[in-house]
Amino acid sequence: MTLNIIDRHKLILKKLNADGFVNVTDLSDDFKVSLVTIRKDLKLLEEKKLLFRSHGKAIPVNPYITENPVKIKEKINASEKNRIAKAAVKTLVPHDSIIIASGTSVIEFARRIKPLEGLTVLTASLNIALILSKIKEVDVMQLGGMVRPSSASVIGPIGEKMLTEFTFTKLFLGVDGIDLDYGLTTTNLMEASLNKEMIKSSQKIIVLADSSKFNKKGFGRICELSEVDQIITDSGIDKKTKQRLLELGVELTIV
């Protein structure tokens, strides 16, 4: 029996809520209707602001991110960032030489770092440099460059050149968006460029991102997910995203 439009819309929204996204081809096969019909269904639902269409699929919200100042971002999903930071600290070992990028998740991580023998930290974040400078057992290097006021961090070619002079055991990276097909992104193109150089200089790439960052895109692309070694996130991550990350060989830590 062919479903009517109301029933199709109900099932589309139910599947979207359960899986985090719906695929046009899969819906066409499931409902035994044409691709054109499904695209019309999704367009109608988008007009009602019940989903957002994107490249042959639909997701619950607009994936494109606008930039917010760090003081505002710190208040968003604060408890999740707290748990992520605690898990990230457990990855540190004596004599680690690490990069901490910029963003509120990695700032929370820096706040939880305790004295550790031989720990060296290079950071793009002015706030993180100030936080860690109070721990005498930690050697802190501030990356040079042009200050980006919205994130209180540095960007630009000076910092990129500085990174070529060092090798680090780990990079702790905060991002604005994680898209399973497009990869890691940030809202600032110059920050994305700096993050690429951080990746080149590091042996292990660890992304700290709460679950709201998945299925989102920022303006600047950092890298593909295949370049990421580990993602630390919270339990809000949906099952399909979790499965896809594991298939890509990403170590997933859920807190």
Side-chain angles (χ1 to χ4, degrees), residues 22-24 36 42 48 56 64 124 132 148-149 173 197 225 242:
V22 289
N23 182 280
V24 171
V36 172
L42 297 181
K48 295 177 181 178
Y64 297 101
L132 295 179
R148 183 179 165 212
L173 184 63
E197 295 302 318
L225 280 168
K242 178 181 175 181

Side-chain angles (χ1 to χ4, degrees), residues 16 20-25 27 38-39 41-43 45-46 50-65 178-182 214-218:
L16 183 67
F21 68 94
V22 289
N23 182 280
V24 171
T25 304
L27 291 174
I38 293 300
R39 290 192 183 101
D41 286 340
L42 297 181
K43 185 174 185 294
L45 290 169
E46 184 178 47
L50 296 173
L51 52 75
F52 188 91
R53 293 181 297 156
S54 176
H55 303 295
K57 64 181 181 181
I59 55 179
V61 294
N62 189 332
Y64 297 101
I65 306 155
I178 303 175
D179 183 271
L180 293 174
D181 298 315
Y182 195 64
F214 289 99
N215 300 313
K216 298 283 183 68
K217 288 181 184 178

Side-chain angles (χ1 to χ4, degrees), residues 41 53 58 77 85 157 159 167 175 181 207 213 236 244:
D41 286 340
R53 293 181 297 156
N77 298 323
T167 300
V175 297
D181 298 315
V207 176
K213 301 294 177 66
R244 179 75 183 280

Side-chain angles (χ1 to χ4, degrees), residues 29 31 51 60 149 164 167 205 209 236 247 252:
D29 292 340
F31 298 157
L51 52 75
T164 64
T167 300
I205 315 306
E247 289 170 359
L252 194 59

Side-chain angles (χ1 to χ4, degrees), residues 11-204:
L11 288 172
I12 288 169
L13 293 174
K14 183 178 180 181
K15 186 174 178 61
L16 183 67
N17 184 57
D19 297 340
F21 68 94
V22 289
N23 182 280
V24 171
T25 304
D26 290 343
L27 291 174
S28 174
D29 292 340
D30 291 345
F31 298 157
K32 303 293 188 286
V33 295
S34 69
L35 294 173
V36 172
T37 296
I38 293 300
R39 290 192 183 101
K40 287 180 178 177
D41 286 340
L42 297 181
K43 185 174 185 294
L44 287 170
L45 290 169
E46 184 178 47
E47 288 171 354
K48 295 177 181 178
K49 302 188 184 302
L50 296 173
L51 52 75
F52 188 91
R53 293 181 297 156
S54 176
H55 303 295
K57 64 181 181 181
I59 55 179
V61 294
N62 189 332
Y64 297 101
I65 306 155
T66 55
E67 184 174 19
N68 288 313
V70 66
K71 286 184 178 180
I72 293 175
K73 291 168 74 173
E74 277 186 316
K75 298 174 183 178
I76 301 171
N77 298 323
S79 62
E80 288 85 353
K81 290 173 183 175
N82 221 324
R83 298 197 302 273
I84 289 166
K86 288 179 182 178
V89 167
K90 293 178 182 178
T91 68
L92 295 176
V93 296
H95 304 289
D96 256 341
S97 55
I98 68 172
I99 304 176
I100 305 179
S102 61
T104 54
S105 292
V106 290
I107 288 175
E108 189 60 35
F109 162 61
R111 289 191 180 113
R112 296 194 168 274
I113 292 176
K114 303 297 182 185
L116 184 65
E117 182 183 358
L119 178 62
T120 300
V121 178
L122 174 70
T123 185
S125 167
L126 306 179
N127 290 330
I128 289 172
L130 288 171
I131 290 166
L132 295 179
S133 66
K134 298 172 184 177
I135 307 175
K136 64 179 182 179
E137 293 87 352
V138 178
D139 292 328
V140 183
M141 294 187 291
Q142 172 68 61
L143 203 61
M146 182 172 66
V147 175
R148 183 179 165 212
S150 64
S151 62
S153 65
V154 298
I155 51 176
I158 294 174
E160 291 176 23
K161 188 175 187 302
M162 186 175 172
L163 284 164
T164 64
E165 303 296 322
F166 303 100
T167 300
F168 299 89
T169 55
K170 300 180 181 82
L171 163 62
F172 293 89
L173 184 63
V175 297
D176 290 318
I178 303 175
D179 183 271
L180 293 174
D181 298 315
Y182 195 64
L184 307 182
T185 56
T186 180
T187 55
N188 184 277
L189 187 61
M190 291 182 72
E191 183 179 62
S193 180
L194 183 66
N195 288 342
K196 288 176 183 177
E197 295 302 318
M198 290 178 175
I199 288 170
K200 290 179 185 177
S201 299
S202 305
Q203 296 173 22
K204 184 173 184 179

